[in-house]
Amino acid sequence: MTSCCAPTGRSASNRKVLLRDMQTLPVAVIGGGPVGLAAAVHLLARGIEPVVLESGPSVGTATRAWGHVMMFSQWRYNVDKAARALLEQHGWAPPDDDAYPTGRQLAEQYLEPLAALPEIAPRIRLNARVTAIARAGVGKVRTTAREAAPPMAPLSSNSPKPACSSPA
């Protein structure tokens, strides 16, 4: 049985193109909340270039929508270990691990300081609503060498520049 999504054999030239694109194009991280920013930190720690695409005007936009609500888990469970280490390298004083933050506190005391770090700030694109994810230059049907085309994340018109694009 064959599937439209089953991997197909890749030629040596297709593998080279895919490897080149993986080394030159950033990894699109969709969302500038706790998980998205932590993912960016982990990617950077592995030498992989991220670009964080946040649809709102600031990091943690979704978290701020319920900013008045106290979380059901303590700070210790809401701060990623790698993100904590990076923040502490820059002098961040963590909140009390046993306290229960509100959504607003999570955004203001964790996400904003993390997003402001020089390692993270230039990699964030605000007001960047991802409208689709597809392979560059091909449609949704099976195309020869489709797997070698770099993924693209088209953004709505309020974004200042494309987040991911194929190298020239």
Side-chain angles (χ1 to χ4, degrees):
M1 176 188 229
T2 325
S3 165
C4 68
C5 300
T8 59
R10 292 187 176 135
S11 70
S13 64
N14 287 348
R15 282 192 300 272
K16 287 179 185 176
V17 168
L18 182 60
L19 183 58
R20 182 207 66 208
D21 288 341
M22 288 175 60
Q23 292 171 343
T24 59
L25 294 175
V27 171
V29 176
I30 301 173
V35 175
L37 292 180
V41 171
H42 283 269
L43 287 165
L44 286 169
R46 288 162 179 77
I48 301 169
E49 184 65 27
V51 60
V52 178
L53 307 172
E54 169 56 50
S55 65
S58 64
V59 295
T61 297
T63 305
R64 292 171 200 278
W66 48 268
H68 62 288
V69 177
M70 184 177 293
M71 298 183 70
F72 60 87
S73 54
Q74 300 160 316
W75 273 108
R76 76 174 76 246
Y77 303 113
N78 289 296
V79 177
D80 178 78
K81 290 178 183 176
R84 176 185 291 261
L86 183 59
L87 281 161
E88 288 176 346
Q89 288 175 14
H90 290 274
W92 181 68
D96 178 6
D97 275 345
D98 294 323
Y100 291 83
T102 63
R104 176 173 289 125
Q105 289 170 327
L106 185 72
E108 291 175 355
Q109 296 176 36
Y110 172 51
L111 300 179
E112 286 178 10
L114 183 58
L117 295 179
E119 296 89 345
I120 304 296
R123 294 168 169 91
I124 296 175
R125 305 290 182 271
L126 300 175
N127 297 309
R129 181 173 299 279
V130 176
T131 58
I133 297 176
R135 297 280 181 183
V138 295
K140 292 183 179 181
V141 296
R142 181 174 269 180
T143 303
T144 304
R146 180 178 189 270
E147 72 277 2
M152 301 294 288
L155 305 175
S156 64
S157 62
N158 62 346
S159 179
K161 60 183 175 178
C164 301
S165 59
S166 185

